[in-house]
Amino acid sequence: MSTLAVLGASGYTGRLVVAECVRRGHRPVVIGRDHDRVVAALAGERRNLDAEVAEIRTADVTDGRALRDALEGVDLVLTTVGPFVALGRGVLDAAIATGTHYVDCTGEQPFLRWAFGERDTAARAAGVVAVPAAGFDYLPGDLLADLAAGAVPWPREVHIAYMVRTPGGLPATSAGTRRTVASLLGARGVALVGGEPVEELPGEERRLAWFPRPVGPRHAAGIPGGEPVMVPRHVPDIATVRTYLALPGWQAELMQMGSNLTRWGPARRTLRAVLERGTGGPPPDRRAATRWGCVAEAAGPEGIARAWAYGHDTYGLTAVAMVAVAEAVLAGEPAPGVLPPASVAPADALLDTLADRSDLRWSVARPDPSEAADVD
Ligand SMILES: NC(=O)c1ccc[n+]([C@@H]2O[C@H](COP(=O)([O-])OP(=O)(O)OC[C@H]3O[C@@H](n4cnc5c(N)ncnc54)[C@H](OP(=O)(O)O)[C@@H]3O)[C@@H](O)[C@H]2O)c1
C-alpha cells in the first residue's frame, strides 16, 4: 500500500483526516510542528496510536528543508495547514521538489490562482499530481459543474451555489476556518464572465439558486469560489463560471456592506481580531447536524441542466473527500500537474465513492424551463 502523510495532524481538520485514513486501512505518517502537540491531539481519539500511524514527524511549514525531510518515503501528502496563502506555498513547493503527490483542503481562491497559475508547469515536470481544494470548498461544486455541463449541448455558463444550515442558525466553523476567513477580509474575488476574469467583492452578484426540494429556490450571493479557477480546466469552452452562497436577502446585503467596510483598514482589523478568537471547532453532534447542499446549473443554447448534492457535516465531508481524492490519484495515475478534483477521476465515480463513505447524495436533472419560483 502507498504511504500517505497528513500535515496539520494536530489541527481540527487534520485529526479528522487522520481518522479517515485509518478508517480506510492506511497507516499514515503524521506530521506536525510539535511532536507532543500531535500526540496530545491524536491520542484522545485514537486508542491505539502506535499501531494506527506509521510514524510521527515534525516540520514547520516555513522551513523548506525540514518539510522536504518530513516527506521522505511518502507517496502523497494531505495538508490541512492554513491559511494557505500564508502557510501553504512552501508545502506545495516541497511536494514538487520531492516528487510527492499532494492533496489539500484550501478554500482560498488566491491560493488556487497561484497554484494553478504558477505551479502547474513545475508539477508536470516533476511528475507530481497536486489537487488543491479537495474539501467541502470546492470539490462538490467542481464535480457537479462537470456533470451539469456534460448534460447540456454546448454549455456556455455554469453557476454553482452552496448552502449550509446549522442548528440555531449560528455558524459551526473551526478556529482555523475563521482565521482563514479573517485573512481574506477586504479582498476582491475573481469570477469568469464572458471569457474574462472579472473582479468582484463578495455579495455584489446575486442569483436565484435552485436547490432540490425540500429546500427549493434560494437567493444566493456571489463569493470568490474555486470553481471559476478550476472548471474551465475540464469544461474548456465555458465562458462564465460563478460561485455563490445561499443567503436570505438581508444577509446578502450585510455581506456586501461588510465586504465594502472591510476594505477600510480599521474595520478590517477589528473584525479580524473577533474572527481570530478561540480554538478547536464544532463538537461532533453539531457537525453532524449541519446540513449542506450544492447545486451547479449549466446553461447553453439548448437549455439548462442542474446537478446537485447534499448531505451533513462539512468537515467530515472534507476528510472523506481528501482521502478519496488521494486514493484516486494513487490508483488512477492521472497525468501530472495541478489538477481540479474533476480531472483526477470521472465526477460521477468520485461522487459515488463519497456517497458510499458518507451521507452525500447526488443527482443530475434537465428541468422544465417553465418551472415557477416560490422563494423564501
Ligand atoms: N475547504 C474546506 O471545506 C475546509 C474544511 C476544513 C478546513 N479547511 C481549511 O483548513 C485549514 C485548517 O483548518 P483547521 O480547522 O484544521 O485549523 P486548525 O485546527 O487551527 O489546524 C491548523 C493546523 O496547522 C498547523 N500549523 C499551523 N502553522 C503551522 C506551521 N507553521 N507549521 C506546521 N504546522 C502548522 C497547526 O499546528 P499546531 O497544532 O502546532 O498549531 C494545526 O495542526 C484552514 O485554512 C481552513 O480554512 C478548509
Side-chain angles (χ1 to χ4, degrees):
M1 199 174 218
S2 304
T3 303
L4 300 182
V6 182
L7 180 57
S10 58
Y12 183 79
T13 311
R15 281 203 307 264
L16 298 177
V17 176
V18 171
E20 178 63 14
C21 286
V22 172
R23 210 168 8 249
R24 292 284 312 147
H26 299 280
R27 202 162 162 255
V29 169
V30 296
I31 312 175
R33 63 177 156 175
D34 182 283
H35 180 278
D36 292 348
R37 213 158 36 232
V38 174
V39 173
L42 294 179
E45 291 164 24
R46 317 235 57 84
R47 260 170 277 144
N48 203 359
L49 188 61
D50 287 344
E52 288 177 340
V53 307
E55 201 183 331
I56 297 174
R57 298 180 184 173
T58 52
D60 191 300
V61 296
T62 58
D63 180 345
R65 170 178 281 261
L67 260 183
R68 291 192 296 277
D69 287 348
L71 294 180
E72 173 74 37
V74 170
D75 296 297
L76 185 149
V77 59
L78 299 127
T79 175
T80 64
V81 177
F84 284 79
V85 165
L87 297 170
R89 295 176 204 231
V91 182
L92 180 51
D93 281 341
I96 291 171
T98 54
T100 310
H101 299 310
Y102 167 102
V103 173
D104 79 32
C105 64
T106 188
E108 297 159 55
Q109 195 197 62
F111 182 79
L112 286 173
R113 296 209 306 267
W114 170 80
F116 281 96
E118 307 290 327
R119 288 298 181 271
D120 185 39
T121 307
R124 282 174 201 233
V128 164
V129 177
V131 192
F136 173 65
D137 304 321
Y138 290 95
L139 173 137
D142 185 58
L143 299 180
L144 295 172
D146 194 70
L147 292 175
V152 286
W154 308 291
R156 297 294 293 154
E157 300 190 3
V158 191
H159 299 268
I160 299 105
Y162 289 83
M163 174 211 88
V164 180
R165 271 197 195 163
T166 52
L170 292 171
T173 51
S174 71
T177 298
R178 291 194 299 278
R179 267 200 313 281
T180 299
V181 170
S183 75
L184 296 171
L185 288 176
R188 286 177 172 277
V190 174
L192 183 70
V193 184
E196 299 293 332
V198 172
E199 282 202 357
E200 292 171 350
L201 278 173
E204 247 172 10
E205 181 67 18
R206 307 287 171 83
R207 184 179 174 86
L208 198 59
W210 291 79
F211 291 93
R213 299 211 169 271
V215 176
R218 283 287 181 275
H219 292 290
I223 54 168
E227 291 86 353
V229 183
M230 301 195 292
V231 172
R233 297 188 175 249
H234 48 92
V235 187
D237 292 326
I238 202 78
T240 295
V241 184
R242 288 184 186 276
T243 313
Y244 307 80
L245 180 63
L247 290 173
W250 66 271
Q251 281 184 20
E253 293 295 330
L254 212 60
M255 180 200 265
Q256 191 175 357
M257 265 170 47
S259 44
N260 263 315
L261 196 63
T262 49
R263 295 167 71 197
W264 181 54
R268 185 166 62 247
R269 283 191 288 277
T270 306
L271 187 53
R272 201 169 267 170
V274 173
L275 286 169
E276 285 176 345
R277 280 186 206 143
T279 55
D285 56 338
R286 193 161 165 74
R287 255 182 34 221
T290 300
R291 188 175 169 79
W292 64 267
C294 180
V295 60
E297 182 174 299
E302 295 197 7
I304 65 169
R306 293 192 192 116
W308 51 262
Y310 65 83
H312 291 83
D313 186 1
T314 57
Y315 287 92
L317 176 68
T318 293
V320 168
M322 288 178 76
V323 175
V325 168
E327 289 175 346
V329 167
L330 293 168
E333 296 180 1
V338 180
L339 304 183
S343 299
V344 172
D348 53 353
L350 259 180
L351 285 165
D352 280 345
T353 301
L354 300 183
D356 281 347
R357 299 180 187 178
S358 72
D359 75 342
L360 177 147
R361 296 294 172 264
W362 68 275
S363 184
V364 184
R366 294 285 311 268
D368 176 353
S370 64
E371 66 191 359
D374 177 15
V375 192
D376 294 343

